Amino acid sequence: MNVAASRPVALITGAATGIGEAAVRALAARGMVVVGADIDTVRGERLFAGLGAPHLFLPLDVRDPAAWARTIVEVADRFGRLDFVHLNAGVMSRPKGAPLMDDPLGWFTAEGYAKVMDVNLGGVAHGIRAVLEAPGLARILITASGAAILPLDLDPYYTASKYGVLGMGLALAPTLEKRGVRLDILCPGAIGTDLTAPDIRAAIHQEPAAFIGEAVATLATTDEPGPVWLAFTEAEGLKRYEVPGSPGLSGALDVTDQI
């Protein structure tokens, strides 16, 4: 607990590889104590062994609310606080190695739906519920996707899950702000990680994961208004996105009684 007394503490899910790994490295480089969580314990433990103390890796299946509760208790016990949470774990339903121009209806299955929704949407919902119990929480960042802005026909379930993440984040942000917790939503473009199938990585230019790691580090401390951010290309950088057609609930409910 004394280790983190003067240093902010961050928790990142999907931390073993890809965007999560890049975010871990970027936040650790800025002096934050980083707790990484992932179902991939082999690569997660290897990453955090290289970082050393006080950084910590914890196994976590984001689909499991009870596992989430245990994780938050352990972080609070060890460090006494949790300042920033990056809900980043995600999967795709499109099989790795499937032909680039295949018919997605061929694997538009119940199993694919459960796989993607349980992690991408359920994992975020369970995570937000759990981390609100953490002492000192000030910021939550959710990894959505460019597919939440522009549908990805290669993976309809993935697109649906990221639209859901974006909508949930937009709906929660005003309520959390009243409780002193800032929520931001990050929408990366095509990023070179293991999440993307090899044929897509070979056919479409992928930005480096380190670019998104730097974006996460910026959003961990920024005072600029959010809540939605695009990170499509390294050249363009991180940009705020104005969600079209979102006047707020008050406007939708301004109706007059009619007799």
Side-chain angles (χ1 to χ4, degrees):
M1 183 170 172
N2 292 332
V3 172
S6 60
R7 297 172 63 179
V9 178
L11 171 65
I12 300 175
T13 65
T17 60
I19 287 174
E21 177 184 354
V24 166
R25 295 187 185 279
L27 293 182
R30 285 160 176 75
M32 297 186 78
V33 175
V34 183
V35 180
D38 204 302
I39 199 169
D40 186 343
T41 57
V42 173
R43 287 189 283 188
E45 289 172 355
R46 182 187 306 133
L47 170 63
F48 277 80
L51 292 174
H55 311 295
L56 174 69
F57 177 78
L58 296 174
L60 172 65
D61 184 342
V62 297
R63 300 170 297 179
D64 183 351
W68 263 113
R70 291 192 298 270
T71 298
I72 298 308
V73 168
E74 184 161 359
V75 171
D77 287 346
R78 285 179 179 254
F79 301 111
R81 59 192 285 186
L82 178 57
D83 301 87
F84 172 69
V85 175
H86 181 199
L87 300 172
N88 169 71
V91 296
M92 298 184 77
S93 63
R94 185 179 188 275
K96 289 187 177 182
L100 183 60
M101 301 306 293
D102 68 350
D103 179 2
L105 293 181
W107 36 267
F108 194 69
T109 63
E111 293 79 10
Y113 177 87
K115 171 188 174 184
V116 172
M117 292 299 177
D118 286 353
V119 174
N120 295 3
L121 191 55
V124 170
H126 300 323
I128 291 174
R129 290 180 60 192
V131 302
L132 289 178
E133 301 298 322
L137 182 69
R139 293 173 182 259
I140 299 171
L141 174 64
I142 304 170
T143 299
S145 171
I149 308 297
L150 300 169
L152 181 65
D153 58 359
L154 295 172
D155 197 329
Y157 285 149
Y158 179 81
T159 296
S161 71
K162 294 303 184 177
Y163 265 71
V165 163
L166 176 63
M168 182 163 59
L170 287 170
L172 281 170
T175 299
L176 294 181
E177 184 178 9
K178 293 174 184 176
R179 300 188 182 191
V181 178
R182 170 171 172 149
L183 184 144
D184 289 285
I185 307 149
L186 177 61
C187 297
I191 308 299
T193 74
D194 289 344
L195 180 65
T196 307
D199 59 341
I200 297 179
R201 293 203 302 272
I204 302 171
H205 173 72
Q206 310 282 297
E207 297 292 329
F211 159 51
I212 305 301
E214 293 300 316
V216 171
T218 296
L219 295 175
T221 58
T222 187
D223 292 326
E224 294 296 319
V228 184
W229 303 84
L230 303 183
F232 280 7
T233 68
E234 193 169 18
E236 293 179 329
L238 182 66
K239 301 193 299 185
R240 183 175 181 271
Y241 177 67
E242 188 68 44
V243 180
S246 55
L249 199 56
S250 60
L253 296 183
D254 278 341
V255 296
T256 55
D257 292 334
Q258 297 183 11
I259 300 176

